Amino acid sequence: RVQLVESGGGSVQPGGSLRLSCSASGDTSSTYYMAWFRQAPGKEREGVAAITEMRLTEYAHSVKGRFTISRGGPDNTLYLEMTNLNPADTALYYCAATDYVGWSQVLRHSEYKYWGQGTQVTVSS
């Protein structure tokens, strides 16, 4: 069993920055792949960024250059540093983990076994 808990969401103005965190506990051997997903009202859940235990990363084109995914520390915490936020980034952000996924599918939500309950990010003037 793996437990994931997100934190750090909130409301920011366009152009602002925010840092999300995801604490992982339980069987961390099943968290070789970790990722951030987001879902806005009326839209499908989309992959934002993913990272492996060996720190290989992948980003959605829409966030490349603005967001940075990382992991580490004694508790294997997952982070998402977001900069230059715009209203299109408004969504419920989820942390996810799984033991294996093919690299070409690393940003597909159906490939992940474990999920947090989400943290809301709202970008508005």
Side-chain angles (χ1 to χ4, degrees):
R1 183 179 296 276
V2 174
Q3 296 81 45
L4 303 173
V5 180
E6 304 96 334
S7 62
S11 298
V12 297
Q13 294 184 331
S17 300
L18 206 61
R19 185 192 191 194
L20 306 182
S21 299
C22 172
S23 62
S25 61
D27 184 10
T28 56
S29 67
S30 297
T31 62
Y32 191 94
Y33 298 82
M34 299 189 75
W36 289 98
F37 292 83
R38 66 186 183 186
Q39 188 166 22
K43 296 185 178 180
E44 296 181 355
R45 188 171 300 183
E46 63 174 344
V48 175
I51 186 169
T52 72
E53 187 173 312
M54 297 187 71
R55 308 311 193 254
L56 298 177
T57 60
E58 179 75 351
Y59 295 90
H61 182 266
S62 61
V63 306
K64 192 174 298 183
R66 298 189 299 124
F67 292 9
T68 301
I69 189 171
S70 62
R71 64 190 291 178
D75 298 323
N76 196 31
T77 303
L78 181 71
Y79 302 97
L80 185 68
E81 296 185 30
M82 306 181 292
T83 63
N84 195 25
L85 288 162
N86 60 70
D89 296 315
T90 295
L92 187 64
Y93 282 70
Y94 296 93
C95 171
T98 196
D99 53 352
Y100 175 78
V101 58
W103 193 245
S104 65
Q105 302 184 93
V106 75
L107 292 179
R108 295 187 181 183
H109 64 84
S110 61
E111 299 296 321
Y112 287 78
K113 295 181 179 179
Y114 308 105
W115 293 84
Q117 293 195 334
T119 185
Q120 180 67 38
V121 172
T122 302
V123 185
S124 63
S125 300

